[in-house]
């Protein structure tokens, strides 16, 4: 199943790439005048129209950006470039902002979440992804299948729930969806479940019978939130569909699916925002991990290759990687073994798909070749499989050149089902890591990851950190000034989580 990794490197990649390129072309010009801004806006408008964004919204964005920018009042040089970039960023955020906050589940009490949508929108899969998202954050989640219309609906939900280890309720014999929904919700409330997700029937089109059934289930289970699941491939037609569902039941949130393979995603996102329905999650593939929280400013920032440091910090904390005293001690000594590399691979993978993590770091998405993110993830896994075939002595040695003979490499290759060349590749990658870590001892990292030198002599600390980074990574971040801005955004947190990111 070799598919591209689903994340923002793939989601609307063409749209983001074209807008970012238009902004880069403008900022690279010697003189930024009215013509340069007009050319940039023309290219951005063309990219948005290609993504099926409504022509009125595009026209409004173009006009608003020009209103925000008064070239005569702006200083020349870098400040002018930054102000123009900021204006584009703010207007794109405005286009996707519904102006309304979604429902926030309350811990320790039952939250009934009802899912609605047309058949084929990815509703049942989204139910499981939603449940799994909260389960990973220590919520008690469960699923109720009240879809008696589609053959195999309960089987699909049962299979998904079993795979994700989520409690579920449904019936092969009861044909009344309202009774199933009511019984399931009552049962799970008694069990003390916190997120009770009710999956409802879909239809091939917006039929009166579908809306009537939705209203009956809503009246029976009294949901705290109704989530509308929408297929993004319909583009700006999403506006009419979202409006029709909102008029039938009180839709509070939207999940946008299939954003990984369609050119019309931008149109769908902007169309839904125009209905004042907050998008809470986006689905970017069929796998349970292909699901991420949608936050407008973060999304636009990553789409334009500007990174999302806040999201990166949250990912690090969610994976429990912000407190690693043993790792910090080793970094301060410049010590690094294959066992350490194995643990760091595990840590990076805890944070989610590699491409997604990379897109959070300003400038780093450009280092990942489009469509090859999955390849990098698989490479990580292959390296870990090879290391699983190593002895303790091999994993803990600091001198790989001395211990790894042809005989050992052949034995490890056989044990891990690999080619000896792959084992040598792993060892070369390790040496690159080890060399970089050896330089880090000069940073004098504390046991909690703090760097006192950053306060005492920030200039020297920055120079030292710049030497530790892969030159390509430093270049993509924006050189030493980019590194300085990144560290400010991260509030001085250590860089060890992504210093050795894959090529």
């Amino acid at each position: 199943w070799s598919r591209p990794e689903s994340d923002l490197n793939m989601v609307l990649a063409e749209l983001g790439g074209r807008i970012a390129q238009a902004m880069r072309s403008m900022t690279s010009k010697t003189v930024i005048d009215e013509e340069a801004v007009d050319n940039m806006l023309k290219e951005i408008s063309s990219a948005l129209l290609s993504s099926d964004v409504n022509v009125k919204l595009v026209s409004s964005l173009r006009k608003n950006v020009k209103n925000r920018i008064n070239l005569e009042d702006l200083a020349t040089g870098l400040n002018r470039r930054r102000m123009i970039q900021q204006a584009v960023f703010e207007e794109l955020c405005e286009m996707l902002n519904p102006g309304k906050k979604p429902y926030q589940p309350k811990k320790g009490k039952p939250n009934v979440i009802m899912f609605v949508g047309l058949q084929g929108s990815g509703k049942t899969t989204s139910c499981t992804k939603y449940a799994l998202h909260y389960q990973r954050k220590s919520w008690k989640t469960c699923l109720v299948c009240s879809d008696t219309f589609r053959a195999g609906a309960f089987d699909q939900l049962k299979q998904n729930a079993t795979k994700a280890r989520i409690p579920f309720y449904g019936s092969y014999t009861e044909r009344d969806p309202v009774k199933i929904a009511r019984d399931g919700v009552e049962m799970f409330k008694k069990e003390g479940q916190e997120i009770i997700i009710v999956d409802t029937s879909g239809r091939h089109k917006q039929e009166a019978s579908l809306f009537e059934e939705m209203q009956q289930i809503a009246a029976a289970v009294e949901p705290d939130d109704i989530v509308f699941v929408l297929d993004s491939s319909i583009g700006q037609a999403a506006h009419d569909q979202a409006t029709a569902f909102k008029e039938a039941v009180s839709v509070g949130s939207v999940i946008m699916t299939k954003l990984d393979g369609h050119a019309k995603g931008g149109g769908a996102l902007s169309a839904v925002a125009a209905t004042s329905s907050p998008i809470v999650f986006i689905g970017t593939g069929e796998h349970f991990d292909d699901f991420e929280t949608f936050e407008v400013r973060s999304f636009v920032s990553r789409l334009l290759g500007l990174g999302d440091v806040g999201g990166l910090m949250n990912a690090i904390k969610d994976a429990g990687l912000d407190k690693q005293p043993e790792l910090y001690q080793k970094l301060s000594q410049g010590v690094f073994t294959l066992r350490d590399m194995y643990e760091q691979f595990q840590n990076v993978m805890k944070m989610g798909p590699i491409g997604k993590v990379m897109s959070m770091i300003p400038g780093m998405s450009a280092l990942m070749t489009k469509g090859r993110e999955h390849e990098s993830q698989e490479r990580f896994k292959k390296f870990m499989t090879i290391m699983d075939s190593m002895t303790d002595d091999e994993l803990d040695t600091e001198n790989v050149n001395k211990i790894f003979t042809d005989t050992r490499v052949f034995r490890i290759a056989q044990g891990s089902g690999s080619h000896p060349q792959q084992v040598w590749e792993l060892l070369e990658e390790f040496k690159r890591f080890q060399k970089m870590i050896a330089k880090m001892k000069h940073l004098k990292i504390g046991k909690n990851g703090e760097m006192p030198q950053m306060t005492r002599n920030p200039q020297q600390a920055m120079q030292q950190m710049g030497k530790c980074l892969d030159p390509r990574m430093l270049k993509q971040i924006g050189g030493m000034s980019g590194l300085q801005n990144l560290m400010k955004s991260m509030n001085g947190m250590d860089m060890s989580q992504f210093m050795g990111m894959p090529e």
Side-chain angles (χ1 to χ4, degrees):
W1 43 278
S2 59
R3 62 184 178 88
E5 189 63 58
S6 359
D7 52 61
L8 279 176
N9 278 346
M10 292 300 295
V11 174
L12 310 180
E14 191 180 341
L15 173 62
R18 284 184 65 183
I19 296 174
Q21 181 55 45
M23 288 165 70
R24 275 197 299 273
S25 297
M26 182 272 300
T27 55
S28 65
K29 290 189 185 299
T30 315
V31 179
I32 297 176
D33 53 14
E34 202 79 36
E35 187 185 352
V37 173
D38 281 340
N39 287 339
M40 176 194 72
L41 288 174
K42 186 179 177 183
E43 179 54 34
I44 289 174
S45 300
S46 170
L48 290 169
L49 290 168
S50 298
S51 192
D52 203 37
V53 176
N54 184 285
V55 67
K56 287 180 183 174
L57 288 175
V58 175
S59 174
S60 174
L61 175 131
R62 195 168 177 168
K63 190 171 79 178
N64 292 344
V65 169
K66 293 208 78 170
N67 288 343
R68 278 178 182 264
I69 302 166
N70 186 338
L71 288 176
E72 290 175 12
D73 293 347
L74 289 179
T76 53
L78 191 64
N79 189 43
R80 180 176 282 194
R81 290 175 170 83
R82 195 170 292 146
M83 294 292 280
I84 294 168
Q85 286 177 333
Q86 190 63 26
V88 173
F89 174 77
E90 293 295 343
E91 284 305 319
L92 283 169
C93 289
E94 194 60 39
M95 180 188 282
L96 295 177
N97 185 7
K100 182 183 172 187
K101 289 190 175 177
Y103 171 76
Q104 293 295 330
K106 293 164 186 67
K107 198 94 169 96
K109 71 174 278 293
N111 298 269
V112 180
I113 316 292
M114 178 174 154
F115 273 58
V116 299
L118 294 186
Q119 196 168 313
S121 62
K123 183 164 45 61
T124 302
T125 305
S126 295
C127 285
T128 312
K129 289 179 177 182
Y130 187 96
L132 194 57
H133 171 83
Y134 281 102
Q135 187 193 65
R136 285 171 173 167
K137 292 179 179 288
S138 304
W139 291 69
K140 294 176 185 172
T141 65
C142 58
L143 293 160
V144 177
C145 178
S146 66
D147 182 354
T148 57
F149 179 78
R150 179 170 65 92
F154 180 41
D155 282 327
Q156 185 192 351
L157 183 134
K158 183 179 176 182
Q159 189 179 356
N160 286 351
T162 305
K163 193 175 176 184
R165 297 182 180 178
I166 295 165
F168 62 91
Y169 178 86
S171 174
Y172 285 114
T173 52
E174 179 60 62
R175 301 311 299 161
D176 181 3
V178 179
K179 186 177 188 312
I180 294 173
R182 187 189 294 115
D183 291 350
V185 169
E186 281 177 12
M187 182 187 88
F188 284 130
K189 277 185 177 178
K190 285 174 187 171
E191 288 181 7
Q193 297 289 351
E194 295 170 310
I195 305 257
I196 303 168
I197 298 158
V198 181
D199 184 18
T200 63
S201 301
R203 299 286 191 276
H204 285 300
K205 57 181 186 290
Q206 290 147 222
E207 299 171 3
S209 56
L210 168 64
F211 289 145
E212 192 181 322
E213 186 180 298
M214 279 172 13
Q215 288 160 348
Q216 288 171 354
I217 292 173
V221 301
E222 297 179 344
D224 296 286
D225 189 24
I226 296 180
V227 178
F228 172 46
V229 181
L230 179 71
D231 179 346
S232 69
S233 63
I234 63 172
Q236 60 179 285
H239 183 280
D240 294 341
Q241 203 179 105
T243 303
F245 272 83
K246 277 192 81 170
E247 285 170 357
V249 288
S250 54
V251 170
S253 315
V254 174
I255 290 177
M256 188 79 72
T257 63
K258 305 181 187 177
L259 265 166
D260 52 323
H262 293 281
K264 294 184 175 183
L269 288 167
S270 54
V272 170
T275 68
S276 301
S277 307
I279 298 167
V280 284
F281 292 98
I282 53 174
T284 57
E286 293 176 9
H287 293 243
F288 293 156
D289 285 333
D290 301 336
F291 192 66
E292 55 185 85
T293 309
F294 182 82
E295 198 281 312
V296 174
R297 297 185 76 82
S298 160
F299 180 85
V300 173
S301 184
R302 288 164 61 196
L303 184 71
L304 301 181
L306 303 173
D308 172 26
V309 174
L312 177 66
M313 300 287 280
N314 289 335
I316 288 171
K317 282 176 185 167
D318 286 348
L321 308 184
D322 50 338
K323 292 177 179 68
Q324 297 190 85
E326 286 178 20
L327 171 68
Y328 297 136
Q329 189 181 349
K330 286 192 169 189
L331 292 178
S332 68
Q333 296 166 352
V335 173
F336 195 69
T337 64
L338 280 158
R339 193 185 298 278
D340 296 324
M341 187 163 88
Y342 186 95
E343 286 171 6
Q344 286 311 296
F345 280 2
Q346 281 183 316
N347 288 340
V348 172
M349 290 175 80
K350 275 184 200 170
M351 290 165 65
I354 289 170
K356 178 181 169 185
V357 176
M358 293 287 275
S359 71
M360 292 178 183
I361 306 168
M364 288 305 293
S365 57
L367 270 184
M368 295 290 282
T369 310
K370 301 284 185 253
R372 291 188 61 188
E373 299 86 351
H374 182 65
E375 202 177 297
S376 293
Q377 190 98 348
E378 289 305 302
R379 193 164 175 244
F380 260 29
K381 289 178 183 174
K382 185 64 187 173
F383 281 170
M384 289 169 79
T385 303
I386 292 170
M387 286 187 272
D388 283 334
S389 289
M390 292 181 182
T391 64
D392 286 343
D393 286 344
E394 288 162 350
L395 287 171
D396 294 324
T397 184
E398 289 175 44
N399 191 345
V400 292
N401 289 332
K402 187 177 176 183
I403 197 171
F404 282 95
T405 60
D406 287 347
T407 311
R408 278 183 189 262
V409 167
F410 187 71
R411 189 206 82 236
I412 293 164
Q414 275 196 314
S416 59
S418 314
H419 190 280
Q421 183 59 37
Q422 291 175 300
V423 182
W424 288 119
E425 276 175 27
L426 163 63
L427 295 174
E428 283 306 311
E429 188 76 8
F430 168 73
K431 283 186 230 176
R432 188 176 73 83
F433 269 74
Q434 197 178 39
K435 192 175 174 184
M436 191 164 55
I437 300 298
K439 294 175 185 174
M440 289 182 70
K441 65 181 175 187
H442 302 296
L443 294 172
K444 297 182 172 63
I445 297 168
K447 62 180 180 181
N448 294 316
E450 73 280 3
M451 287 184 266
Q453 204 178 350
M454 288 295 287
T455 313
R456 290 198 299 268
N457 193 342
Q459 199 66 35
Q460 190 182 346
M462 277 295 162
Q463 290 294 333
Q464 197 59 53
M465 189 172 283
K467 289 176 187 173
C468 295
L469 286 174
D470 184 304
R472 292 163 309 157
M473 182 177 181
L474 185 62
K475 185 182 175 185
Q476 287 297 338
I477 288 172
M480 291 306 296
S481 61
L483 177 60
Q484 205 159 356
N485 292 333
L486 178 60
M487 289 305 287
K488 276 181 192 169
S489 307
M490 294 182 79
N491 200 21
M493 185 176 169
D494 79 289
M495 303 268 287
S496 63
Q497 300 309 332
F498 55 87
M499 276 184 157
M501 281 290 180
E503 294 174 28

